[in-house]
Amino acid sequence: MILAAANTFRAGLVQLRSGRAIARNMEMAEALIRRAAAEGAVYVQTPENTSIMELETDRLLSAIDTEGKSEPLRQLQALAKELGIWLHVGSLAMKLPSGKVANRSYLITPQGEIAARYDKLHMFDVDLAGGESYRESRNFDPGNKAVLADLPWGRLGLSICYDLRFPALYRALASAGADIIAVPAAFTKQTGEAHWRVLLRARAIETGAYVLAAAQGGLHENGRSTYGHSMIVSPWGEVLAEAGEDPQILLADIDLGLSAETRAKIPSLKHGREFEVEIGGAKLPPKREGS
């Protein structure tokens, strides 16, 4: 371990360009995870869709399995145990009893055990300029709960990609004690160029938490282009490290004392208030900031 203090650690992000071949994707992911660990990372995060990037329903369902039979998950659990690291798998596609798929994050302990699972809450259903169209809900069932987990250095809040556009989720995670927030992603190139950087910085500033976001980048076999630019952002909104578009690792030393200092300077998490919403004299049910 590079740093000695109890609330400091080295984080590593793995940027990928996953395709349709799971074995090839896993080979690249493993090589980069090993490199990050060799550089002193004790927490390593991979992006959304680590094992496969596939839009066609039949191709996706024929390539994946249920959690109990997932070879990529078993392989990553073994790797975390071998390297003695906390391995945060941004997401794997898992078959569900409903016939659809879960877009599921896994936090794996240095003993190779699953410490937390998180199913992506918000589905990316959108038509973009230029003819791009995505219907994530066609293949995936959304999750129904926010998830946090305790690392040796602090509390981690889990999210995935499109969740980034829903600030109430991040306020809820921070209010529940998260001083690190993960946003593994496969942001489209078009929306990423416009919004990725500013949204990550905004979530860090709003919550006073570190934001760690491993991303997919480049042109994929299925024809989709993702933005890349994996990023580590401080609680003050400073970009500590940023990748380009190609597969690579990103490293930064995280000092969670900075999260406590930032929240002491700007204690907005304590200042949320209940308020009414009025439209033309008619009042809607009371709301509370962050809910």
Side-chain angles (χ1 to χ4, degrees):
M1 187 170 174
I2 296 297
L3 300 170
N7 62 349
T8 60
F9 67 100
R10 177 161 290 182
L13 303 186
V14 169
Q15 183 161 293
L16 296 173
R17 187 176 296 153
S18 297
R20 286 173 159 158
I22 290 179
R24 186 165 64 244
N25 298 334
M26 293 301 296
E27 182 179 357
M28 174 60 74
E30 179 175 336
L32 292 175
I33 292 166
R34 288 185 180 277
R35 189 186 304 173
E39 292 290 332
V42 290
Y43 164 93
V44 179
Q45 182 191 123
T46 67
E48 182 182 27
N49 302 322
T50 291
S51 63
I52 189 169
M53 283 278 286
E54 182 54 74
L55 298 174
E56 295 182 19
T57 303
D58 290 344
R59 280 178 177 266
L60 178 63
L61 290 174
S62 66
I64 65 172
D65 217 322
T66 60
E67 180 177 296
K69 297 179 180 179
S70 173
E71 180 60 23
L73 178 58
R74 185 208 61 78
Q75 181 179 339
L76 291 165
Q77 287 180 268
L79 183 60
K81 184 176 182 179
E82 177 193 340
L83 298 176
I85 60 171
W86 287 83
L87 180 54
H88 186 172
V89 185
S91 81
L92 299 174
M94 293 292 173
K95 281 185 179 178
L96 295 172
S98 66
K100 285 194 174 183
V101 181
N103 190 353
R104 183 170 294 166
S105 276
Y106 290 91
L107 179 65
I108 302 171
T109 72
Q111 292 75 41
E113 299 172 353
I114 297 172
R117 298 169 176 82
Y118 167 73
D119 288 0
K120 186 176 180 180
L121 278 171
H122 301 96
M123 298 288 96
F124 186 54
D125 289 357
V126 68
D127 297 310
L128 298 173
E132 288 185 86
S133 180
Y134 300 95
R135 291 289 180 274
E136 193 171 19
S137 62
R138 181 180 61 194
N139 294 328
F140 293 88
D141 275 342
N144 57 16
K145 61 183 177 182
V147 175
L148 300 100
D150 286 329
L151 297 171
W153 317 279
R155 182 162 292 173
L156 175 71
L158 282 68
S159 70
I160 300 174
C161 199
Y162 190 49
D163 288 335
L164 182 59
R165 295 187 180 274
F166 299 85
L169 170 61
Y170 296 90
R171 186 177 183 91
L173 291 171
S175 295
D179 37 27
I180 316 157
I181 292 175
V183 194
F187 241 65
T188 65
K189 186 175 179 64
Q190 182 180 351
T191 59
E193 288 175 341
H195 300 147
W196 172 248
R197 207 171 195 269
V198 69
L199 285 172
L200 289 175
R201 292 189 66 217
R203 297 297 88 86
I205 293 166
E206 290 165 352
T207 62
Y210 280 91
V211 170
L212 310 180
Q216 296 278 354
L219 179 62
H220 302 265
E221 281 183 278
N222 63 8
R224 182 178 176 184
S225 291
T226 52
Y227 183 55
H229 291 262
S230 298
M231 200 173 298
I232 298 174
V233 187
S234 80
W236 196 249
E238 177 188 5
V239 177
L240 301 179
E242 181 175 357
E245 187 176 275
D246 293 330
Q248 60 194 275
I249 63 169
L250 203 63
L251 300 166
D253 292 332
I254 307 300
D255 179 0
L256 294 180
L258 182 58
S259 179
E261 291 175 13
T262 300
R263 289 172 176 175
K265 290 177 182 177
I266 306 177
S268 59
L269 292 174
K270 299 178 180 179
H271 294 162
R273 298 188 61 213
E274 190 173 281
F275 56 90
E276 294 181 340
V277 178
E278 186 174 301
I279 303 176
K283 294 181 179 179
L284 301 181
K287 298 288 184 182
R288 185 172 181 84
E289 288 164 324
S291 64

